[in-house]
Amino acid sequence: MAMLIWQAPMRYFSAGDEAAFFSWLQSIFGVVSVRGYGHELHIRLRSKRLSVQSLRELIALYQRYQGNMNELAQFANQANSSWFADTNAYWYSQVFGSTHAA
């Protein structure tokens, strides 16, 4: 199993916003569980090999709620490198930094 540890400070603008975050996160295929531990949110995933749709949803969720995008770099692999490690993608520098070799 893979694990994401959300350490970014969470900022919700309403109770509905918070509910939307957790609903969205738990609707992503491959997310097994979500638990809070102190100031961290532990997101357990079935595998590091996520579908294109699941990885795109995580990218969007992390972007929207200002998560630490470089936590997503662990999901890079040969099968998704053509789009996920695309240096022109809006998330590239946030996920991989400026030193990643695509």
Side-chain angles (χ1 to χ4, degrees), residues 35-95:
R35 289 194 167 72
Y37 294 96
H39 295 290
E40 296 178 342
L41 187 61
H42 292 210
I43 304 162
R44 211 166 55 157
L45 302 163
R46 187 169 291 124
S47 168
K48 277 193 174 186
R49 297 196 55 88
L50 297 173
S51 69
V52 170
Q53 181 179 356
S54 292
L55 185 50
R56 286 189 181 276
E57 289 296 323
L58 282 171
I59 292 167
L61 183 89
Y62 268 65
Q63 182 72 29
R64 162 65 180 86
Y65 288 96
Q66 300 175 346
N68 183 355
M69 298 279 284
N70 68 12
E71 292 177 6
L72 302 178
Q74 66 180 303
F75 301 111
N77 59 48
Q78 278 188 322
N80 66 24
S81 66
S82 65
W83 67 270
F84 186 44
D86 178 356
T87 58
N88 295 316
Y90 73 87
W91 61 80
Y92 181 86
S93 63
Q94 293 175 294
V95 172

